Amino acid sequence: MTIAKKLRMIVLLSAGTVPVFILLFALAFMMQSRAQERMTASDSIARAAAEINIHSGHYLRHPEESMYAKWMGAYNSAAKILKQMPVKDTENRVVVDRMLRNLSEMNTFFSELAASSEKGRRMLSSRTADALIMRAGELTEDAFRLVAVSDEEIRSLNRVLIELFTIISVLLTLAVLLTSVALGRRISGPINKLRAGTEVIGSGNLDYRTGIRSDDEIGQLSEAFDQMTASLKTITVSRDDLANEVAERIRAEEALRQNQRFLETVIRNAPACIKLVAEDGSLLQMNPAGLSILEADSIEQVQGKNISSCASFKYQPAFMNLIKEVFQAKTGTLEFEAVSLKGKPLWLSTNAAPLYDNAGTITALLGITVDITERKRAEEEREKLIRELARSNKELEQFAYVASHDLQEPLRMVTGFVSLLEQKYKGRLDEKADKYIRFAVDGSVRMQKLIEGLLAYSRVSTRGGEFKRVELVEVFHEAVANLSASIQESKAHVARGDLPAVKGDEMQLLQLLQNLIGNAVKFRKPDVPPEVHISAQKKEKEWMFEVRDNGIGIKKENFDKLFQVFTRLHSREEYAGTGIGLAVCKKIVERHGGRIWVDSVPWEGSSFFFTIPFG
Ligand SMILES: Nc1ncnc2c1ncn2[C@@H]1O[C@H](COP(=O)(O)OP(=O)(O)OP(=O)(O)O)[C@@H](O)[C@H]1O
Ligand SMILES: [Mg+2]
């Protein structure tokens, strides 16, 4: 229900009570006026009764015609008033009827009095006069009673009127109060809530809802208010989104600028040449390092020129091909010879990739070129050195082979004749001569062995045999057979695990095993029979062999130098040998593409490992 309707209803209800009140007041006034009338009538009757009394007395004393008329006048007016007296209630009716009766009797008595006075009957008249006066007294009493009753009635009606007025006033005040409270609740409450809502919303809380639900204007206003808040929130959210997006975009732009500055700095300061090249090969952009490599004084000197022209003639087709491929979305690398603008020969290496625009179209070739002139020169130098080293190595090996081979013959002669000298002249010359001859024989024998060793060493590369499948088990047995004298003498136990077949030089592999097993037997602890074991392990790309012994062992610091020519860790008196055996082993293993190394604990034993790749 709308507020206007409610107000109208309240006004109508209030207006509806007014006639009721008027009616009530009218009734009370009517009753009051009737009581007033009655009181006035009673008053008049009392006065008439008093007059009758007086006139009766007068007439009795002076029974004159005028007195009679006055009495009758008083009687008639009293009778008239009594007859017209407005009395409804029974009690008063009884009084009025009694008064009427008394009045009628008074009339009778007065008539009798008048008649008797004419005839002179005094006795009778005095009794009638007493009766008349008594009736007149009763009449007056009744009249005063009626006056008192009417007065009381008026007073009580006045009280009723005052009470009624008070009650109505109180009721009206209450009604006004209740109506105002109700209206206050229905109108001021929601309005206050709305006002508070505006403050909450004003402070930024757009989730606030009045929650007022009523079917009047306030309800509609609240609903509209809530809708407005919701719309405001949507708008604010969109505005916030927009603000966030703008902030995000500003951040992104800043990041982009930062990136751009970073890229510019990198490009400007990069030591490599960074350039952009068009599809036809013309140079679009080049950084300072690029200009410096090409010995250009300014970008204008090279911009728009075909970049392939700086490559030497031989590399120009490859260069143009690289540009073509990059514009077909490929990447590529090219090392090429070039000439700077001032004629300096260069070696350059270019990495090229396509540069795309936002639509995914290739707009340029992005090339990063480094000056590799120095590196190329170094490489050439190194290759030259390697070639030279290989040549000189070969020459040296040839020389060693030739020298050791050719030295053998005269040495054999020296050894032979010194031995003859010893045999023929031992004990014939003096002691000193015997001793010198002995030294000469030893020295020449040792020299022979050294030269044989050297020859064997140089033969590994110069006289190597062809590689073929070699059963290492057979080679092992052959090596053990060749070493049988020393094995027996030392009471050595030489055992093996599973040994594979490998691709290699059979003679050299025999020499390898023989040298390693020979050493294992030779470098034994005094009074401890040697235990030698050879085994093989299959690795990812090669076989790994181990020759293990329980000999004297080797200190860690000597591990590497063992494999150098002439390295010996003991005196000749302790253990015989030339110190070439392991050097030969290393050379044989390396010729087969493998490695050799040792692991050992002094006085516990040694393990010599070598690898041979799968054939
Ligand atoms: N199994 C081993 N146990 C302990 N020491 C070893 C062993 N094998 C080699 N050596 C040490 O390494 C040195 C070099 O060995 P290498 O085989 O080259 O020489 P050599 O045995 O002394 O002489 P050659 O083998 O030329 O007759 C040896 O003198 C020895 O001191
Ligand atoms: Mg040896």
Side-chain angles (χ1 to χ4, degrees):
M1 198 189 288
T2 61
I3 293 171
K5 264 188 188 169
K6 281 177 196 165
L7 283 173
R8 262 202 302 277
M9 222 171 79
I10 290 164
V11 169
L12 277 175
L13 277 172
S14 311
T17 57
V18 172
V20 177
F21 295 145
I22 291 171
L23 212 70
L24 282 170
F25 275 114
L27 205 68
F29 277 121
M30 223 166 66
M31 284 164 77
Q32 200 197 32
S33 70
R34 194 175 295 158
Q36 191 68 48
E37 253 174 63
R38 206 161 51 227
M39 196 176 79
T40 313
S42 307
D43 204 33
S44 304
I45 287 164
R47 244 180 292 122
E51 270 177 41
I52 288 170
N53 252 345
I54 293 161
H55 292 317
S56 297
H58 282 174
Y59 186 77
L60 284 175
R61 275 187 308 272
H62 308 287
E64 290 164 11
E65 196 65 27
S66 59
M67 283 298 132
Y68 180 80
K70 277 186 181 172
W71 193 93
M72 282 309 287
Y75 165 80
N76 283 333
S77 108
K80 191 179 170 193
I81 293 165
L82 265 177
K83 276 177 194 151
Q84 288 173 351
M85 181 84 115
V87 176
K88 288 254 163 71
D89 53 307
T90 351
E91 201 183 330
N92 287 339
R93 185 81 260 160
V94 170
V95 176
V96 170
D97 286 348
R98 190 168 65 224
M99 285 171 81
L100 275 172
R101 214 167 36 247
N102 279 342
L103 198 64
S104 157
E105 281 175 8
M106 280 169 75
N107 188 27
T108 310
F109 291 144
F110 189 70
S111 299
E112 278 177 20
L113 259 182
S116 66
S117 67
E118 278 171 22
K119 290 168 188 170
R121 290 154 60 186
R122 288 269 179 199
M123 280 301 286
L124 180 70
S125 60
S126 69
R127 269 202 317 270
T128 310
D130 288 344
L132 178 70
I133 286 163
M134 202 178 78
R135 293 291 184 275
E138 282 177 9
L139 188 71
T140 310
E141 250 176 57
D142 281 339
F144 278 118
R145 193 172 290 130
L146 272 181
V147 168
V149 166
S150 299
D151 191 43
E152 183 52 42
E153 206 172 338
I154 287 167
R155 277 174 204 279
S156 74
L157 275 171
N158 275 346
R159 271 202 304 278
V160 166
L161 266 175
I162 288 165
E163 279 169 9
L164 200 67
F165 185 77
T166 311
I167 287 167
I168 287 168
S169 301
V170 168
L171 282 175
L172 274 176
T173 312
L174 272 174
V176 168
L177 272 173
L178 285 173
T179 310
S180 67
V181 168
L183 277 178
R185 276 209 184 143
R186 302 288 290 183
I187 299 171
S188 311
I191 285 175
N192 280 339
K193 223 170 175 184
L194 281 174
R195 191 188 48 73
T198 57
E199 280 172 18
V200 176
I201 291 162
S203 70
N205 178 6
L206 296 179
D207 290 321
Y208 177 84
R209 297 288 180 273
T210 61
I212 300 166
R213 294 283 167 265
S214 65
D215 53 0
D216 54 16
E217 288 90 336
I218 299 275
Q220 288 163 7
L221 183 65
S222 302
E223 213 167 295
F225 188 85
D226 286 350
Q227 272 172 13
M228 181 197 75
T229 317
S231 312
L232 204 62
K233 189 177 178 186
T234 317
I235 292 166
T236 312
V237 167
S238 335
R239 195 201 58 202
D240 288 353
D241 286 351
L242 203 69
N244 285 343
E245 208 178 303
V246 169
E248 186 57 42
R249 201 164 280 190
I250 289 170
R251 267 201 297 281
E253 275 173 12
E254 182 48 39
L256 208 68
R257 270 198 294 277
Q258 185 76 23
N259 229 2
Q260 207 167 344
R261 277 198 293 276
F262 169 73
L263 273 176
E264 277 169 13
T265 313
V266 168
I267 291 170
R268 207 172 35 247
N269 297 298
C273 159
I274 300 173
K275 59 181 179 285
L276 291 178
V277 177
E279 196 168 4
D280 62 358
S282 58
L283 181 81
L284 300 170
Q285 275 299 335
M286 185 175 267
N287 70 341
L291 297 177
S292 152
I293 290 170
L294 288 183
E295 293 190 308
D297 299 325
S298 66
I299 181 75
E300 288 73 25
Q301 235 182 316
V302 281
Q303 210 164 30
K305 306 252 168 69
N306 197 314
I307 194 69
S308 66
S309 63
C310 71
S312 65
F313 189 68
K314 181 180 154 194
Y315 288 97
Q316 281 185 9
F319 205 100
M320 287 314 286
N321 193 45
L322 178 69
I323 296 173
K324 202 172 130 197
E325 285 195 338
V326 166
F327 276 89
Q328 286 166 354
K330 291 179 190 157
T331 54
T333 313
L334 182 68
E335 282 189 4
F336 59 99
E337 277 182 295
V339 184
S340 78
L341 294 187
K342 290 183 180 161
K344 188 170 111 185
L346 296 167
W347 262 102
L348 301 176
S349 169
T350 286
N351 277 289
L355 185 76
Y356 295 91
D357 65 8
N358 286 342
T361 313
I362 300 170
T363 54
L365 170 150
L366 172 68
I368 299 178
T369 305
V370 283
D371 185 351
I372 55 165
T373 314
E374 281 310 310
R375 198 191 82 198
K376 277 282 174 189
R377 255 183 221 144
E379 271 175 21
E380 277 171 8
E381 199 70 28
R382 203 184 68 211
E383 274 166 25
K384 209 167 118 192
L385 275 176
I386 289 169
R387 277 198 304 275
E388 265 181 23
L389 206 65
R391 190 182 50 78
S392 90
N393 261 357
K394 204 159 182 124
E395 273 177 13
L396 215 62
E397 274 174 3
Q398 203 64 32
F399 169 77
Y401 174 75
V402 171
S404 47
H405 183 267
D406 291 357
L407 279 174
Q408 269 192 323
E409 186 51 38
L411 193 59
R412 231 179 268 131
M413 262 178 80
V414 172
T415 316
F417 283 109
V418 173
S419 298
L420 265 178
L421 202 64
E422 192 187 27
Q423 281 165 26
K424 286 215 168 178
Y425 295 97
K426 196 176 179 188
R428 290 204 207 166
L429 302 169
D430 61 6
E431 247 180 60
K432 261 190 183 169
D434 279 355
K435 199 165 122 192
Y436 293 158
I437 290 169
R438 180 72 253 147
F439 285 166
V441 169
D442 281 0
S444 63
V445 168
R446 212 167 66 244
M447 195 169 178
Q448 213 173 355
K449 282 186 178 166
L450 281 172
I451 283 177
E452 274 168 14
L454 267 183
L455 197 60
Y457 182 77
S458 65
R459 269 181 181 150
V460 173
S461 49
T462 52
R463 297 287 186 270
E466 256 182 54
F467 278 20
K468 56 184 185 193
R469 190 185 147 86
V470 180
E471 285 293 346
L472 285 180
V473 177
E474 286 169 19
V475 174
F476 167 77
H477 287 302
E478 203 174 336
V480 171
N482 291 346
L483 294 166
S484 58
S486 58
I487 289 172
Q488 275 168 19
E489 183 217 323
S490 63
K491 298 191 174 62
H493 177 241
V494 181
R496 67 165 178 90
D498 283 340
L499 295 176
V502 294
K503 197 167 177 204
D505 182 330
E506 191 168 1
M507 284 313 293
Q508 289 185 353
L509 291 174
L510 174 65
Q511 199 175 358
L512 173 68
L513 290 195
Q514 208 170 301
N515 281 357
L516 294 175
I517 297 168
N519 280 350
V521 173
K522 179 163 65 168
F523 297 104
R524 62 179 177 271
K525 286 185 273 197
D527 307 328
V528 180
E531 291 285 338
V532 184
H533 187 267
I534 175 166
S535 59
Q537 266 184 61
K538 199 173 185 176
K539 297 285 174 184
E540 202 182 330
K541 290 177 183 166
E542 59 198 5
W543 287 102
M544 188 181 84
F545 299 90
E546 180 185 2
V547 181
R548 195 177 66 230
D549 64 53
N550 59 344
I552 58 171
I554 305 154
K555 283 185 188 163
K556 201 168 187 164
E557 65 256 31
N558 294 324
F559 283 179
D560 283 338
K561 61 180 175 196
L562 291 188
F563 299 96
Q564 290 167 12
V565 184
F566 302 135
T567 300
R568 303 195 68 253
L569 303 177
H570 308 280
S571 65
R572 277 200 306 282
E573 285 70 37
E574 285 177 287
Y575 296 98
T578 53
I580 288 178
L582 284 180
V584 170
C585 289
K586 185 169 191 267
K587 213 168 179 191
I588 290 171
V589 169
E590 281 174 357
R591 191 181 165 231
H592 283 76
R595 291 158 291 129
I596 187 166
W597 68 98
V598 65
D599 194 14
S600 174
V601 178
W603 298 105
E604 279 188 21
S606 310
S607 276
F608 281 83
F609 298 93
F610 66 91
T611 60
I612 292 181
F614 301 143

